[in-house]
Amino acid sequence: MAEKQFEYGPVARGVYMALLYFVFLVGWLAPGWLFPYAAFLIFLGLGLRPLLEWTGLAQRCQDMTATIGDWRYRKRNRQRRMEIARRERDRKYRYSHYRDPRLPPNW
């Protein structure tokens, strides 16, 4: 048996469980929609994962998520390094006895 390429997250599982509980509400309020709703839930439960794996969308989504996460980490790391460099530069000028003429007065 092939190993699963991905797992649904907790939010997706929670939404699916909520949709399962809404079967009773749909059956009570709109009995005509019960069969299409049940077919939709069966597709989500049994057919969506193989479809995503077969088309490659699951791998594509994971790659995009990883790329975005790396980009955010690099951006945050770059900003943090800039903050530290600025703080060190300010400390150098603030505690020196020689005042740089480019600095504002009383700095």
Side-chain angles (χ1 to χ4, degrees), residues 23-38:
V23 166
F24 302 115
L25 188 64
V26 169
W28 184 52
L29 294 177
W33 284 89
L34 186 60
F35 180 71
Y37 188 74

Side-chain angles (χ1 to χ4, degrees), residues 8-98:
Y8 292 118
V11 174
R13 287 183 187 164
V15 168
Y16 185 71
M17 292 301 291
L19 287 173
L20 284 176
Y21 284 115
F22 280 129
V23 166
F24 302 115
L25 188 64
V26 169
W28 184 52
L29 294 177
W33 284 89
L34 186 60
F35 180 71
Y37 188 74
F40 173 68
L41 288 179
I42 290 171
F43 168 73
L44 286 180
L46 300 176
L48 185 60
R49 178 187 307 225
L51 180 68
L52 291 175
E53 291 174 352
W54 180 70
T55 59
L57 289 175
Q59 186 65 32
R60 175 83 113 156
C61 183
Q62 288 175 349
D63 290 342
M64 287 175 48
T65 304
T67 302
I68 290 171
D70 290 344
W71 177 78
R72 285 182 177 172
Y73 173 76
R74 284 194 309 265
K75 181 179 177 184
R76 176 68 182 137
N77 195 8
R78 186 174 52 247
Q79 287 175 345
R80 182 72 178 133
R81 287 179 186 268
M82 246 195 294
E83 289 173 7
I84 291 172
R86 286 178 183 159
R87 189 171 47 215
E88 291 299 321
R89 185 198 62 203
D90 291 348
R91 183 177 292 150
K92 181 179 91 172
Y93 285 125
R94 190 169 285 161
Y95 296 116
S96 69
H97 294 291
Y98 170 73

